[in-house]
Amino acid sequence: MSLRINDTVPNFTAETDQGTITFHDWIGDSWAILFSHPKDFTPVCTTEFSAVAQLAEEWAKRNTKVIGVSVDGVEDHKKWKNDIESYGGAKAGFPIIADEGLDVSKQFDMLPAEAYLPDGRTPADSATVRSVFIIGPDKQLKLSMTYPMTVGRNFAEILRALDGLQMSTKGVATPANWELGQDVIIPPSVSNEDATAKFGEFETIFPYLRKTKAPS
C-alpha cells in the first residue's frame, strides 16, 4: 500500500550519522522534510545535500527539521559530508539515516518489499530512493515528490511548497506559482458571508475562485 497524502507516516527507529533516532520523537512539534538518496558519493545527490545545507536558516525560520536518507552506512555518511560541505560551502548540520537494510525505503514505498542490495551494487539498484516527503507536526504526510537520478531537485520549489502548506493551515489555498506575500484563495466551502467575517475584503473572479490577502 503506497503512502498517501494525510496518512500518518511510519514511525521507525534508525541509525544516523548523529546517533539513533525514533522518527516521530525526532519530529516533535516541528514540520519535517525527509529526502532520500540511492547512494553516497554520487554527483547529483552531493549537489542536493549541499543545497539543503545552504538553506539551514530558511528551514529554521519555518520550524522545519530536515533529514536525509541514503542506503549506505553511518561511516560513509560522515565521510560524504566532507564533500557535501566542501561543495556547498555550508555546514550540513542535518542527520542522514543509514538505511542499509532498506527498512525506511520500504516503509515509505520507495522500494518493493522484496528489494535487496546485491554485491557490487550501483545507484541503479536503488534508483527509486529519490523522493521528498513533507510531514506536518501531526506526523501526517502533506506532500511527496519523486525524481529520477538524472534531475537535481529544486529545493527553492520545496521551500515554496512548504510555505504553501503552512499557509494552508490558516484555512486558505494557494494559486499556481504562489509565493509568500501574494494573495491566496478562499476555499469554495466558505460562504461569502463567512469569508467577509474571516478575511475582510476579497475579490470574486468566478463564483468558485475568490482571492484575498494572505492572513498573517
Side-chain angles (χ1 to χ4, degrees):
M1 182 69 70
S2 61
L3 194 62
R4 297 187 175 94
I5 300 293
N6 295 329
D7 283 350
T8 299
V9 300
N11 189 23
F12 56 83
T13 299
E15 296 300 318
T16 79
D17 64 307
Q18 298 180 3
T20 305
I21 66 158
T22 299
F23 193 48
H24 284 195
D25 292 341
W26 177 83
I27 294 173
D29 295 326
S30 302
W31 287 73
I33 296 178
L34 184 150
F35 55 103
S36 63
H37 299 261
K39 201 175 192 309
D40 293 359
F41 304 105
T42 50
V44 174
C45 297
T46 300
T47 66
E48 292 175 332
F49 269 84
S50 296
V52 173
Q54 291 167 347
L55 290 169
E57 291 184 3
E58 298 300 326
W59 307 128
K61 286 178 187 176
R62 293 158 174 81
N63 186 33
T64 299
K65 296 178 178 179
V66 293
I67 187 166
V69 178
S70 182
V71 297
D72 286 317
V74 166
E75 292 308 312
D76 278 339
H77 290 352
K78 291 179 178 178
K79 294 175 182 176
W80 187 27
K81 273 194 172 178
N82 292 327
D83 292 349
I84 292 165
E85 293 174 349
S86 175
Y87 179 84
K91 180 175 176 57
F94 50 85
I96 306 176
I97 295 167
D99 194 30
E100 292 179 285
L102 307 181
D103 292 337
V104 175
S105 299
K106 291 177 180 180
Q107 288 188 63
F108 278 79
D109 198 39
M110 293 180 281
L111 288 172
E114 66 274 14
Y116 69 96
L117 296 180
D119 293 338
R121 76 176 184 90
T122 70
D125 293 303
S126 48
T128 55
V129 186
R130 287 276 297 155
S131 296
V132 176
F133 302 91
I134 301 182
I135 301 156
D138 57 5
K139 315 304 184 291
Q140 292 181 357
L141 179 65
K142 305 302 180 183
L143 180 150
S144 65
M145 56 185 81
T146 301
Y147 288 70
M149 290 193 297
T150 53
V151 178
R153 282 169 272 198
N154 184 335
F155 282 90
E157 165 57 17
I158 293 168
L159 194 67
R160 190 198 72 85
L162 175 63
D163 285 336
L165 288 166
Q166 294 185 341
M167 179 59 66
S168 71
T169 65
K170 300 175 182 180
V172 296
T174 58
N177 303 320
W178 177 87
E179 294 183 357
L180 281 175
Q182 296 179 346
D183 289 354
V184 296
I185 292 172
I186 300 171
S189 59
V190 178
S191 69
N192 286 338
E193 182 181 13
D194 289 343
T196 300
K198 184 172 184 178
F199 304 110
E201 294 183 357
F202 60 87
E203 176 188 9
T204 300
I205 301 167
F206 304 115
Y208 58 85
L209 176 53
R210 298 164 297 168
K211 288 187 175 182
T212 189
K213 298 294 183 185
S216 58

